[in-house]
Amino acid sequence: MINKRMPNAAKAVADIPDGASIMVGGFGEAGSPIELLHALIDQGAEDLTIISNNCGSGEVGLAALLKARRVTKVICSFPKTANSTVFPELYREGFTELELVPQGTLAERIRAGGAGVKAFYTPTAAGTPLAEGKESRDFDGRTYLLEHGLTADFALIKGVQADEHGNVTYNKTARNFAPVMAMAARTTIVQSARVSAPGGLDPEVVVTPGIFVDRVVEVPQPAHESELIAAGVSYP
Amino acid sequence: MINKRMPNAAKAVADIPDGASIMVGGFGEAGSPIELLHALIDQGAEDLTIISNNCGSGEVGLAALLKARRVTKVICSFPKTANSTVFPELYREGFTELELVPQGTLAERIRAGGAGVKAFYTPTAAGTPLAEGKESRDFDGRTYLLEHGLTADFALIKGVQADEHGNVTYNKTARNFAPVMAMAARTTIVQSARVSAPGGLDPEVVVTPGIFVDRVVEVPQPAHESELIAAGVSYP
Amino acid sequence: MSTSDAVQGWDREAMARRLAQDIPNGSYINLGIGIPELVAKFVPEGRTFIYHTENGLLGMGPSPEEDQEDPELINAGKRHVTANPGAAYFHHADSFAMIRGGHLDLSILGAMQISQAGDLANWSTGKPGAIPAVGGAMDLVAGVKKVFVLTQHTTKTGEPKLVESCTYPLTGQGVVDRIYTDLAVIEITPAGFQTIELAPGVPFEHVQGMTGAQLSPPPASPSE
Amino acid sequence: MSTSDAVQGWDREAMARRLAQDIPNGSYINLGIGIPELVAKFVPEGRTFIYHTENGLLGMGPSPEEDQEDPELINAGKRHVTANPGAAYFHHADSFAMIRGGHLDLSILGAMQISQAGDLANWSTGKPGAIPAVGGAMDLVAGVKKVFVLTQHTTKTGEPKLVESCTYPLTGQGVVDRIYTDLAVIEITPAGFQTIELAPGVPFEHVQGMTGAQLSPPPASPSE
């Protein structure tokens, strides 16, 4: 029997060590695995590298992890959002380093990492400051940049319906980076509103097949970033 | 209003010119768009390049197109199957050229073509005869081959449920190459057992989004290669 | 250089309406944040556009009723949206495959500067201490078939946005096809900025005065 | 060189059963066509394996009842299969991402030749006039974490399959981890072929005689 279910978020993230690289799903608050992030804050790991599209909002979820001074580097396409004050301060202070990557290049680098594609040529960012220090090459008269696949030690992602084999589906635009991050991380941890026995998901509608997922934890009523912020929550 | 529905298979393939490159979905008989292929035989285009995992079986579908001497090149991973006699003869005769590509490299080259990734580095086939003439490069002590994205003029694929915007779902392992071929072809033509108005498919379960599809034709009772062969059919 | 009060040009909605007239039926469009979002309000009679939002939705619909919002159904600007019939959700790698692979017909973006060679700067002032953030802008301009810029002709302080060469960090080189401003519609040609149309009551000389590079006048008989 | 009638070794089912004992619970496995497919019949008590078929299914189950066949539910060998509870369908690029990305634990393949350096030849005799066909073999050996070969020790005509260096065109270089034959279990080590275990009643000298390269004898006290 195969059962990847974990009893709670704390157990699911218990072995994440200092210095780990962690992919965190979500675009804005859609798909942000708040409960896993809060468990990681409680757990205490530091000197983390976070790979995520944004850096969180307010002082909950990913922003709270940064605020707790656990993150020394982010690989990110858009670190500033409307309610984002934590990252700018840590960045200006020099505590948190930033590797800025165009959003589509970030998604494709993560997919490449998960798919065993070592590197690829993309036209995105050619001729811009983000091409500096990168190898480029012309094909058919157009310039392309060489971008490398990206992997991580862990991925924290949020699904809506999962099963004990690790198959996952998502809610609307919460899908965003999760399927490719699940592929690219050595250990993928999923929080899902529902977790069923195998057979609970139609094989035709599975978005992330279980082979990409290591642990599943049921979080039936996940918090939303905007609601926590509206309620004035600052985690912990 | 957007409606990509075509009245029949003949109209759907009517403008495929001599010399066209055509991606054909299917792995074995699963996903083979028999009715579109038979319409293409009737239509008469020749000097075609076919990109497909196999070369068909018996004398129906893709094998029948080859037998009609319409295909001068195939890009393929496994051109010989149990009931395949047509391709071997054309290949030995020198009428049909073969570019042999490992199956995963073929799938990834097609995806890259559709995704605007010009080329990528893969470990597959390094150190084998299929690496001959290819650029290679070492990363972290391992050898990778540079493989180029692959596009085509047309794709012929088979879905099970589609809508008039071109959204498509597939039946089981008939999915195989269809989603990436739909991305990589300039004109993608889908035959589907059912075609509904927009709204007939749950946005969460769409496999091929309509942006990748140009024409949809309803073929309610598609033929299966094995059944045609068992019935002794030789098309036309 | 400052904007003359006597010359009004198009307002934001008129700019969006003017641009929408140039979009063919059935186009797949990515709308940038800000003025570009207004285009969806001015779809010409008889045409249907399908909107792509790069965070993973094709077939984006208008904002939901206030109590129908789903925090996980948002657009690239992180605003609540809806899904139209015929919509599809997908992940980011697939979403940017649509962009990079040239499957979208049109990207409509704001701009800080556009050069006469079609270079676009719209992501960073390059000021020291600013927090860099790029999002999907570089992917859009590199991949989408046509790139239309929808922007005020000058900055709030009256500096020209249409320039000989950009001083801000680039988003892409030679990527812009057309510019729709409050004063004019301008095409990027091998010869530089070509005026296609002037806003009603706006003299060409006024537009040239607000532009930081040579502007070719509109054709003698307007195509309108 | 010919196989001695006096020495029997394992039959095909016993070979598959022996290999199955070395697979940990919960492994994700791709089974090649032929003898490797037999492994699924010998899953040890208390273990569950999940089968991947590269044409787009994880969680492949056994053959269906005769009237339950779906021509579009097949495995890589194009035979009718079923989908177990917990299965998932996906497209070819995703399927080979699982393979190339190192997500599968084990690939079990047949072989024409295996060299002492772990090179594998299993796709082509290289004969002029033969129709070349490679399928997913090169992807599997390049990507999957462990590669086990399950094969008769010699060809039908008694030629050794375990050789110093392959004469047939390679599928991959240095990719094989272990070889399970009718005569022995043999590991590829930096020092070459290392016998792990002999089939019951098969003397080491016999196996060496059937092998085209130096074979290290099994450890003094078998780990069994």
Side-chain angles (χ1 to χ4, degrees):
Chain A
M1 205 182 80
I2 294 170
N3 189 347
K4 300 180 179 176
R5 190 194 285 264
M6 303 293 285
N8 55 52
K11 287 247 167 59
V13 303
D15 64 348
I16 298 181
D18 292 352
S21 57
I22 310 177
M23 291 174 171
V24 178
F27 176 93
E29 70 174 322
S32 184
I34 303 269
E35 284 72 15
L36 291 177
L37 288 162
H38 287 177
L40 181 58
I41 292 171
D42 300 346
Q43 186 257 36
E46 53 190 21
D47 191 22
L48 302 171
T49 294
I50 296 292
I51 299 150
S52 186
N53 192 66
N54 307 110
C55 283
S57 293
E59 298 182 353
V60 297
L62 186 52
L65 183 70
L66 275 113
K67 185 161 191 284
R69 305 181 78 81
R70 307 288 180 73
V71 181
T72 47
K73 181 175 179 183
V74 294
I75 301 176
C76 182
S77 98
F78 209 85
K80 60 179 181 194
T81 47
N83 287 310
S84 151
T85 55
V86 172
F87 174 76
E89 282 170 25
L90 292 164
Y91 176 75
R92 291 204 179 96
E93 179 191 331
F95 182 82
T96 303
E97 181 192 346
L98 169 65
E99 179 181 340
L100 190 71
V101 182
Q103 196 171 333
T105 298
L106 182 62
E108 191 67 15
R109 285 182 63 192
I110 295 169
R111 180 192 175 277
V117 168
K118 195 69 187 181
F120 60 90
Y121 287 100
T122 175
T124 299
T128 78
L130 296 190
E132 279 165 26
K134 287 188 176 158
E135 217 181 298
S136 70
R137 178 162 168 177
D138 287 6
F139 294 95
D140 304 330
R142 191 172 181 197
T143 303
Y144 293 79
L145 301 183
L146 183 67
E147 293 283 357
H148 292 258
L150 197 54
T151 58
D153 299 320
F154 293 87
L156 306 182
I157 63 178
K158 179 189 184 186
V160 65
Q161 170 79 50
D163 71 19
E164 290 167 352
H165 281 192
N167 295 297
V168 187
T169 63
Y170 303 93
N171 178 40
K172 305 184 178 75
T173 58
R175 188 182 304 195
N176 57 69
F177 281 88
V180 289
M181 288 178 169
M183 293 167 67
R186 278 170 286 281
T187 300
T188 293
I189 306 170
V190 176
Q191 67 167 73
S192 177
R194 296 181 295 283
V195 179
S196 73
L201 275 169
D202 177 355
E204 295 280 14
V205 310
V206 168
V207 177
T208 292
I211 193 171
F212 296 128
V213 172
D214 300 277
R215 302 171 192 167
V216 179
V217 59
E218 195 165 50
V219 177
Q221 301 283 343
H224 294 293
E225 216 173 73
S226 58
E227 288 164 9
L228 295 179
I229 292 170
V233 174
S234 173
Y235 197 86
Chain B
M1 205 181 80
I2 293 170
N3 189 348
K4 299 180 180 177
R5 191 195 285 263
M6 303 292 285
N8 55 51
K11 288 247 169 58
V13 303
D15 64 347
I16 298 182
D18 291 353
S21 57
I22 309 176
M23 292 175 170
V24 179
F27 175 93
E29 70 174 321
S32 184
I34 303 269
E35 284 72 14
L36 291 177
L37 287 163
H38 287 177
L40 181 58
I41 292 171
D42 299 346
Q43 187 257 37
E46 52 190 21
D47 192 22
L48 303 171
T49 293
I50 296 292
I51 299 150
S52 186
N53 192 65
N54 307 111
C55 284
S57 293
E59 297 182 354
V60 297
L62 186 52
L65 184 70
L66 276 114
K67 185 162 190 284
R69 304 182 79 81
R70 305 290 180 71
V71 181
T72 46
K73 181 175 179 183
V74 294
I75 301 176
C76 182
S77 98
F78 208 85
K80 59 178 180 195
T81 47
N83 287 310
S84 150
T85 55
V86 171
F87 174 76
E89 282 168 25
L90 292 164
Y91 176 74
R92 290 205 181 95
E93 178 190 331
F95 182 83
T96 303
E97 182 193 345
L98 168 66
E99 179 181 337
L100 190 71
V101 182
Q103 195 171 335
T105 299
L106 182 62
E108 191 67 15
R109 286 182 63 192
I110 295 169
R111 181 192 174 276
V117 169
K118 194 70 188 179
F120 60 90
Y121 286 101
T122 175
T124 299
T128 78
L130 295 190
E132 279 165 26
K134 288 188 175 157
E135 216 180 298
S136 71
R137 179 162 169 175
D138 287 6
F139 295 94
D140 305 330
R142 191 172 182 198
T143 303
Y144 294 79
L145 301 183
L146 183 67
E147 293 282 358
H148 292 259
L150 197 54
T151 58
D153 299 320
F154 293 87
L156 306 183
I157 64 178
K158 180 190 185 186
V160 65
Q161 171 79 52
D163 71 19
E164 290 167 352
H165 281 192
N167 295 297
V168 187
T169 63
Y170 303 92
N171 178 39
K172 305 185 178 73
T173 58
R175 187 181 306 194
N176 57 70
F177 281 88
V180 289
M181 288 178 169
M183 294 167 67
R186 278 170 286 281
T187 300
T188 293
I189 306 170
V190 177
Q191 66 166 74
S192 178
R194 296 182 294 282
V195 180
S196 73
L201 275 169
D202 176 356
E204 296 281 13
V205 311
V206 168
V207 177
T208 293
I211 193 171
F212 296 128
V213 172
D214 299 277
R215 302 170 193 168
V216 180
V217 59
E218 195 165 49
V219 177
Q221 301 285 343
H224 293 293
E225 214 173 74
S226 57
E227 288 164 8
L228 294 179
I229 292 171
V233 174
S234 172
Y235 197 85
Chain C
M1 204 181 290
S2 71
T3 306
S4 157
D5 280 9
V7 176
Q8 284 293 337
W10 286 305
D11 65 13
R12 289 160 49 101
E13 302 221 323
M15 287 163 62
R17 189 195 308 266
R18 176 62 193 83
L19 188 154
Q21 289 170 17
D22 290 349
I23 308 176
N25 182 42
S27 291
Y28 289 95
I29 308 172
N30 184 290
L31 297 176
I33 301 167
I35 313 187
E37 293 179 77
L38 293 176
V39 171
K41 295 171 74 175
F42 299 105
V43 180
E45 183 82 23
R47 296 187 216 173
T48 303
F49 302 156
I50 296 187
Y51 302 105
H52 170 266
T53 180
E54 62 265 33
N55 53 316
L57 168 61
L58 190 72
M60 179 174 68
S63 301
E65 301 296 309
E66 206 164 317
D67 58 345
Q68 298 295 310
E69 294 164 346
D70 184 330
E72 297 193 319
L73 178 45
I74 59 176
N75 67 9
K78 280 132 190 158
R79 287 162 60 163
H80 297 119
V81 294
T82 50
N84 285 332
Y89 297 109
F90 34 81
H91 64 57
H92 251 69
D94 281 349
S95 184
F96 282 84
M98 293 176 191
I99 293 172
R100 201 188 307 101
H103 302 282
L104 287 164
D105 297 301
L106 180 61
S107 168
I108 307 176
L109 292 161
M112 293 158 65
Q113 288 178 328
I114 311 104
S115 83
Q116 55 191 0
D119 298 351
L120 174 69
N122 79 343
W123 70 282
S124 168
T125 60
K127 280 188 196 139
I131 306 296
V134 64
M138 289 187 181
D139 305 283
L140 285 161
V141 300
V144 175
K145 284 180 201 155
K146 277 198 181 295
V147 174
F148 286 179
V149 168
L150 184 57
T151 181
Q152 301 298 329
H153 205 87
T154 61
T155 67
K156 280 175 190 163
T157 56
E159 297 298 312
K161 290 187 162 197
L162 285 68
V163 295
E164 290 193 352
S165 64
C166 298
T167 55
Y168 291 133
L170 292 191
T171 307
Q173 273 186 334
V175 295
V176 176
D177 293 286
R178 277 193 175 194
I179 309 163
Y180 295 78
T181 78
D182 51 325
L183 301 181
V185 180
I186 292 161
E187 180 126 338
I188 307 286
T189 71
F193 292 127
Q194 167 68 55
T195 310
I196 298 293
E197 185 179 330
L198 297 166
V202 175
F204 172 72
E205 294 66 28
H206 176 75
V207 185
Q208 176 64 76
M210 297 290 153
T211 303
Q214 180 68 38
L215 196 61
S216 302
S221 58
S223 59
E224 187 78 1
Chain D
M1 200 181 290
S2 70
T3 306
S4 157
D5 281 6
V7 175
Q8 284 294 336
W10 285 306
D11 64 13
R12 289 159 50 101
E13 302 221 324
M15 286 162 63
R17 188 195 309 267
R18 175 61 193 83
L19 189 155
Q21 288 169 19
D22 290 349
I23 308 176
N25 183 43
S27 291
Y28 289 94
I29 307 172
N30 184 290
L31 297 177
I33 301 166
I35 312 187
E37 293 179 76
L38 293 176
V39 170
K41 295 170 73 176
F42 299 105
V43 180
E45 183 81 24
R47 296 186 214 172
T48 304
F49 303 156
I50 297 187
Y51 302 105
H52 170 266
T53 180
E54 61 265 34
N55 53 314
L57 168 61
L58 191 71
M60 179 175 66
S63 301
E65 301 296 310
E66 205 164 317
D67 58 345
Q68 297 295 307
E69 294 165 346
D70 184 330
E72 297 193 319
L73 178 45
I74 59 176
N75 68 8
K78 282 134 189 155
R79 287 162 60 162
H80 298 118
V81 295
T82 51
N84 285 332
Y89 297 108
F90 33 82
H91 64 57
H92 252 69
D94 281 349
S95 184
F96 282 83
M98 294 177 191
I99 292 172
R100 200 188 309 100
H103 301 282
L104 287 165
D105 297 300
L106 180 60
S107 168
I108 307 176
L109 291 162
M112 293 158 65
Q113 289 178 327
I114 312 103
S115 84
Q116 57 192 356
D119 297 351
L120 175 68
N122 79 344
W123 70 283
S124 168
T125 59
K127 281 189 195 138
I131 306 296
V134 65
M138 289 188 182
D139 306 284
L140 285 161
V141 300
V144 175
K145 283 180 200 154
K146 275 196 181 298
V147 174
F148 286 0
V149 168
L150 184 57
T151 181
Q152 301 298 330
H153 204 87
T154 60
T155 66
K156 280 174 189 163
T157 56
E159 297 298 314
K161 289 188 163 197
L162 284 70
V163 294
E164 289 193 353
S165 64
C166 298
T167 54
Y168 290 133
L170 292 190
T171 308
Q173 274 187 334
V175 294
V176 176
D177 293 286
R178 277 194 174 191
I179 309 163
Y180 293 77
T181 77
D182 49 326
L183 302 180
V185 180
I186 293 161
E187 180 125 340
I188 306 287
T189 72
F193 292 127
Q194 168 68 55
T195 310
I196 297 294
E197 186 180 329
L198 297 165
V202 175
F204 172 71
E205 292 68 26
H206 176 76
V207 185
Q208 176 65 77
M210 297 291 154
T211 302
Q214 180 68 39
L215 196 63
S216 302
S221 56
S223 59
E224 188 84 358

